[in-house]
Amino acid sequence: MRVDRGLSRPRGGSRRSRTAPRPFGGWTTPWLYLAPALVVLGGLLLYPIYQLGLISFFHYTQAQVSGGEPATFEGFANYREIFSDSQFWQVLLATVVFAAACVVSTLSVGCALAVLLTRVRALPRLALMLAALGAWATPAVTGSTVWLFLFDPDFGPVNRMLGLGDHSWTYGRLSAFFLVLLEVVWCSFPFVMVTVYAGIRAVPAEVLEAAALDGASQLRIWRSVLAPMLRPILVVVTIQSVIWDFKVFTQIYVMTNGGGIAGQNLTLNVYAYQQAFASSQYSLGSAIGIVMLLILLAVTLVYLRLLRRQGEEL
């Protein structure tokens, strides 16, 4: 028996296509809906980036800002200067290590508390959610000041409980970074916790019950069931955490008084600020900002490419 696909031949009539008519506008319709948002984002993001990149190619200091001297084009001279500066590489290494520690700590605490939210009753869950959202809503300056008070060598309760006397947490390089890391994790884990908790709630209960009936432990359920199903969500929170923690500024500036003793706690964001506004080398600060932007774009694109190679849909 012969079967015609996609075509019909009505009795006494001609062939007609069964294909549904294409909507008005075709492929241009989605772009028309996205156009207003793209125009706003282009104005708010692309133009400042263009200006930042433009300044990085000029000799632009306080003299050019005040109009005393004209801005002169110097090509890649500012980039050559920062790449030949040993302090830039030290600050870059410290930034990468500090951001990696913050991302791992934030994801670990946020995911652990998200799982805990699914195990406790309604009242403890509400209390934990309110406490986390309170930390999330606290301004970074306020949170940094509170954490400084908690670890204050004279009046802080932490030194008294640990019996450390007048130990200064902000004097040593590692202890100062550790103190800042605690504050960054404290104000960042609620986003991870709430997002992952919402993802866990969307997982069918039958899947978790089947894994439990098979004798899987909670750790095995998380590793073999929940983590693969939550991978798109974990990708989003990981990328967000990398971007946020790589750009930490307020906590470093407030808790280490602008970068610590002799700049031992500088990160790239604070280093760029010091070059641009403390030293009035605006072109050098712009060049550091462009380098940071390229690093974050490269990290994000490489991460997304690796996930797409594994067949993940984002």
Side-chain angles (χ1 to χ4, degrees), residues 87-172:
Q87 187 182 13
F88 169 78
W89 295 106
Q90 294 174 2
V91 173
L92 176 60
L93 177 62
T95 304
V96 171
V97 174
F98 176 73
C102 289
V103 170
V104 173
S105 303
T106 302
L107 292 179
S108 302
V109 174
C111 292
L113 291 178
V115 175
L116 178 63
L117 284 175
T118 63
R119 299 288 185 268
V120 298
R121 295 181 180 275
L123 186 59
R125 182 166 59 247
L126 178 62
L128 182 55
M129 290 285 282
L130 290 177
L133 294 178
W136 195 8
T138 303
V141 175
T142 306
S144 301
T145 306
V146 170
W147 278 87
L148 272 180
F149 171 76
L150 293 175
F151 288 83
D152 186 83
D154 297 323
F155 307 104
V158 175
N159 278 10
R160 294 182 182 178
M161 289 188 295
L162 299 179
L164 296 178
D166 58 351
H167 173 72
S168 176
W169 290 82
T170 57
Y171 183 77

Side-chain angles (χ1 to χ4, degrees), residues 213-265:
L213 290 176
D214 288 340
S217 62
Q218 293 298 324
L219 180 61
R220 182 64 183 274
I221 292 175
W222 167 261
R223 188 179 61 187
S224 302
V225 180
L226 286 178
M229 298 183 73
L230 298 177
R231 188 166 294 173
I233 294 177
L234 294 176
V235 169
V236 173
V237 296
T238 301
I239 293 176
Q240 290 276 11
S241 298
V242 168
I243 294 174
W244 287 345
D245 295 337
F246 199 84
K247 299 189 304 179
V248 167
F249 176 85
T250 305
Q251 290 87 347
I252 290 286
Y253 196 83
V254 173
M255 301 179 74
T256 65
N257 197 19
I261 300 173
Q264 62 180 358
N265 296 112

Side-chain angles (χ1 to χ4, degrees), residues 232-314:
I233 294 177
L234 294 176
V235 169
V236 173
V237 296
T238 301
I239 293 176
Q240 290 276 11
S241 298
V242 168
I243 294 174
W244 287 345
D245 295 337
F246 199 84
K247 299 189 304 179
V248 167
F249 176 85
T250 305
Q251 290 87 347
I252 290 286
Y253 196 83
V254 173
M255 301 179 74
T256 65
N257 197 19
I261 300 173
Q264 62 180 358
N265 296 112
L266 281 174
T267 57
L268 270 186
N269 224 0
V270 182
Y271 183 59
Y273 174 82
Q274 288 190 349
Q275 292 291 333
F277 297 102
S279 304
S280 297
Q281 298 289 335
Y282 302 107
S283 50
L284 286 179
S286 300
I288 296 172
I290 292 296
V291 172
M292 289 181 60
L293 175 66
L294 295 178
I295 291 174
L296 290 175
L297 284 178
V299 171
T300 304
L301 292 177
V302 169
Y303 192 43
L304 293 178
R305 187 174 179 82
L306 290 176
L307 289 175
R308 290 185 66 85
R309 283 186 177 180
Q310 296 174 2
E312 295 292 339
E313 294 184 358
L314 301 176

